[in-house]
Amino acid sequence: MDSGRRKGLSVLGATHVEIEQHLEMGRKLLAAGQLAEALSHYHYAVEGDSKNYLTYYTRAAVFLAMGKSKSALPDLTRAIQLKPDFLAKPYLFSFAQLERSPDQDEARNQLMRANELEELQEEAHAAHHRGDYSTTITVLDRVVELSPWDPEFRELRAECYIRLGDLRKAIQDLTPTTRLRNDNRAAFLKLSTLHYNLGEHQESLGHVRECLKLDQDDKECLSHYKQVKKLSKQLDSAEEHIQEERYQEAIDKYESVMRTEPNVPYYTNKARERICFCLVKNKMPAMAIDICSEAHQRDPRNINILRDRAEAFILNQDYEKAVEDYQEAREFDMENNEIREGLERAQKLLKLSRKRDYYKILGVNRSANKQEIIKAYRKLAQQWHPDNFREESEKKEAEKRFIDIASAKEVLTNPEKRQMFDSGEDPLDPESQPGGQGWPFNPFESGGNYHFKFHH
């Protein structure tokens, strides 16, 4: 048996370890520029493992570096057959350019990059296998730099970003893969899911529709499309109701949102935030405080929730807590004028409440209408009218109470004065008016000889 046949038998019977040894020796010889010696080791590796596309590719690169383009072409073709999406496609065009205008140095550079890429791929897969996603990303950064057109590496890096919770960077990696692969429905679906989980339902709809354009019967895409479409419609409808000041209908829609998607925190948090807002607008402070507090626990840095709960506290005449919420919101956003103005108003109301709170004097809510205010005034005026008391000390206390009751009625039944009071100014306090001029109101200022008749 001649040496050629003996060599063939030894290759056919080569173990995995022997093949790896030949590949490693080939890489070392390539690094030393010994192309012919490297080629002989790649012959062994190719014949020993005919399913390894990278070995074919590397041997083709050696052939090209030696100026043997015709020998390289079958290996490049075989590499593409074994892995159709492999980066050899773009490299094939580069090498074709080199064949027309030979440049041995450039060919060697291409070969070195191919070897580096092979080693980096192995390192990335090893890191990913052991769950070291940060290291995998670091290695893949260089891989993508060397091979920006290969979707496999971007998809792997996107998976690592998802594992680490960085959905934005995962989206950045997956977006170009939709163009790098034909019929990449999986990428469109994953992009749609990522946008959905971030609360970007319109972007989610756009990507899942692209998936259905490729195959309208794709079960996963169709199922996801129905879910996103339903939720998107509910969200849009709820916001339309708010724009039209139909707050109860908006509340109903946002409750539907929480039933439709109870598992993605963004949507349940958003629904609670907007329900809180609507309850404040509907002047239902007790319910608003409960919902806002629950929303605040889930999203403690959300200034909109803090603002709305502060307004609910104001409606509930709990000005200290209103000031606390506005101060907390201001810490998160010092530039927000709405928060600044709300804080100033809450502080004024707190200051006023320590003097005279006309709502508390009459025992009515801040949302009370004029009829309710007049009814409360009549009841208290009858109770505290000075003519009802004989003792001088009791009569003086009654006069003081009656003045407060009459002042409260004067302010709260006058739209302009009530608006001033609701904004933190006391229209009957001379100190709070420009030039010290207020609207003094004392029914007993002529000596206490006023008598009132109440009609029922």
Side-chain angles (χ1 to χ4, degrees):
M1 186 178 290
D2 60 33
S3 61
R5 293 188 64 187
R6 284 196 300 272
K7 186 183 293 184
L9 286 172
S10 66
V11 170
L12 289 172
T15 66
H16 176 73
V17 173
E18 290 173 333
I19 292 171
E20 286 298 319
Q21 288 174 345
H22 281 296
L23 289 171
E24 180 62 26
M25 185 58 68
R27 282 193 283 268
K28 290 180 179 178
L29 291 168
L30 278 174
Q34 300 176 35
L35 300 181
E37 292 81 354
L39 186 62
S40 65
H41 286 280
Y42 281 112
H43 283 324
Y44 276 97
V46 168
E47 293 177 28
D49 183 3
S50 61
K51 301 296 184 183
N52 190 332
Y53 70 96
L54 278 174
T55 308
Y56 279 104
Y57 171 68
T58 307
R59 188 172 71 173
V62 176
F63 277 132
L64 284 163
M66 296 173 70
K68 298 180 179 180
S69 303
K70 290 183 179 179
S71 298
L73 189 58
D75 277 356
L76 287 168
T77 303
R78 182 59 180 154
I80 295 171
Q81 289 172 344
L82 289 171
K83 187 169 176 56
D85 59 350
F86 180 51
L87 56 85
K89 285 184 178 181
Y91 266 129
L92 186 59
F93 292 111
S94 298
F95 288 136
Q97 299 258 342
L98 290 173
E99 185 181 2
R100 288 196 296 271
S101 179
D103 185 333
Q104 298 298 312
D105 290 337
E106 178 60 23
R108 286 189 179 89
N109 289 336
Q110 294 274 18
L111 181 58
M112 295 301 293
R113 284 197 290 272
N115 285 328
E116 180 187 0
L117 189 59
E118 182 180 355
E119 292 174 359
L120 288 169
Q121 286 180 60
E122 292 176 359
E123 185 180 349
H125 285 296
H128 182 263
H129 181 71
R130 63 177 182 266
D132 187 352
Y133 303 116
S134 296
T135 298
T136 307
I137 289 170
T138 301
V139 176
L140 287 174
D141 288 343
R142 176 59 178 159
V143 173
V144 172
E145 182 182 338
L146 290 170
S147 179
W149 46 78
D150 193 325
E152 180 183 346
F153 304 132
R154 291 184 180 274
E155 289 165 349
L156 183 59
R157 190 168 65 177
E159 181 191 333
C160 292
Y161 281 130
I162 292 171
R163 296 271 188 172
L164 294 175
D166 195 338
L167 304 190
R168 293 287 177 200
K169 287 188 177 178
I171 288 171
Q172 289 175 7
D173 260 343
L174 284 173
T175 300
T177 69
T178 61
R179 299 186 298 274
L180 292 170
R181 288 191 196 274
N182 292 326
D183 190 14
N184 199 351
R185 283 173 283 161
F188 280 120
L189 179 58
K190 188 167 285 188
L191 280 168
S192 179
T193 303
L194 290 172
H195 280 293
Y196 180 82
N197 290 337
L198 286 169
E200 298 165 353
H201 56 99
Q202 294 296 346
E203 290 84 350
S204 178
L205 267 180
H207 285 296
V208 76
R209 280 172 175 152
E210 290 299 320
C211 175
L212 291 172
K213 285 180 184 178
L214 295 170
D215 183 357
Q216 63 181 2
D217 297 321
D218 187 295
K219 290 183 179 179
E220 287 187 277
C221 288
L222 188 59
S223 174
H224 185 61
Y225 171 76
K226 290 178 180 178
Q227 170 72 5
V228 182
K229 182 68 175 176
K230 180 179 180 181
L231 187 71
S232 183
K233 186 176 180 181
Q234 289 173 340
L235 289 165
D236 291 343
S237 178
E239 287 302 310
E240 286 176 11
H241 290 324
I242 289 176
Q243 291 297 318
E244 295 166 359
E245 299 184 0
R246 294 154 60 187
Y247 298 116
Q248 185 55 53
E249 291 175 65
I251 290 171
D252 294 341
K253 280 294 178 185
Y254 271 116
E255 288 175 345
S256 297
V257 166
M258 290 192 286
R259 288 192 295 271
T260 299
E261 184 48 87
N263 300 318
V264 178
Y266 174 88
Y267 298 108
T268 53
N269 292 348
K270 184 68 175 179
R272 288 187 178 90
E273 173 194 331
R274 299 304 275 163
I275 290 172
C276 163
F277 172 83
C278 292
L279 288 170
V280 172
K281 290 295 185 181
N282 272 352
K283 301 192 184 304
M284 303 170 71
M287 291 181 64
I289 290 168
D290 288 343
I291 292 292
C292 292
S293 296
E294 186 179 351
H296 178 59
Q297 285 183 338
R298 295 169 178 268
D299 192 2
R301 299 180 65 88
N302 189 319
I303 64 170
N304 294 329
I305 295 171
L306 286 166
R307 175 204 64 199
D308 293 336
R309 189 171 69 172
E311 291 300 316
F313 280 132
I314 288 173
L315 286 172
N316 220 33
Q317 302 179 37
D318 192 341
Y319 306 119
E320 286 189 19
K321 289 184 178 178
V323 168
E324 289 173 6
D325 273 357
Y326 267 124
Q327 285 175 333
E328 187 176 348
R330 185 124 170 88
E331 289 174 6
F332 296 137
D333 188 352
M334 296 294 292
E335 306 300 321
N336 190 302
N337 288 331
E338 183 183 15
I339 299 299
R340 177 182 55 78
E341 291 169 1
L343 175 58
E344 291 173 355
R345 180 164 48 84
Q347 288 171 332
K348 288 179 181 178
L349 289 169
L350 177 59
K351 183 179 178 182
L352 280 174
S353 71
R354 290 168 177 167
K355 295 181 179 179
R356 288 194 300 183
D357 186 329
Y358 297 125
Y359 291 103
K360 284 187 176 180
I361 289 170
L362 294 182
V364 297
N365 294 324
R366 296 184 73 87
S367 58
N369 57 37
K370 186 174 181 179
Q371 184 178 1
E372 291 169 332
I373 290 167
I374 292 173
K375 181 180 179 180
Y377 161 73
R378 286 175 175 168
K379 180 180 178 181
L380 290 170
Q382 281 183 318
Q383 179 183 346
W384 289 100
H385 195 284
D387 290 349
N388 295 335
F389 301 89
R390 294 182 179 181
E391 295 291 334
E392 189 63 28
S393 59
E394 292 179 345
K395 191 178 287 288
K396 285 186 177 181
E397 174 63 22
E399 284 185 9
K400 183 177 180 300
R401 289 287 189 96
F402 194 87
I403 289 171
D404 286 342
I405 293 165
S407 297
K409 183 252 187 184
E410 170 72 9
V411 171
L412 298 183
T413 56
N414 183 302
E416 182 182 353
K417 293 177 183 178
R418 184 175 181 178
Q419 178 61 43
M420 286 185 65
F421 184 75
D422 287 346
S423 299
E425 303 284 349
D426 186 348
L428 302 186
D429 182 2
E431 292 181 3
S432 67
Q433 303 306 313
Q437 298 299 314
W439 288 287
F441 185 80
N442 185 347
F444 302 105
E445 61 186 359
S446 299
N449 295 320
Y450 279 79
H451 295 274
F452 294 84
K453 292 182 180 179
F454 297 94
H455 303 282
H456 301 281

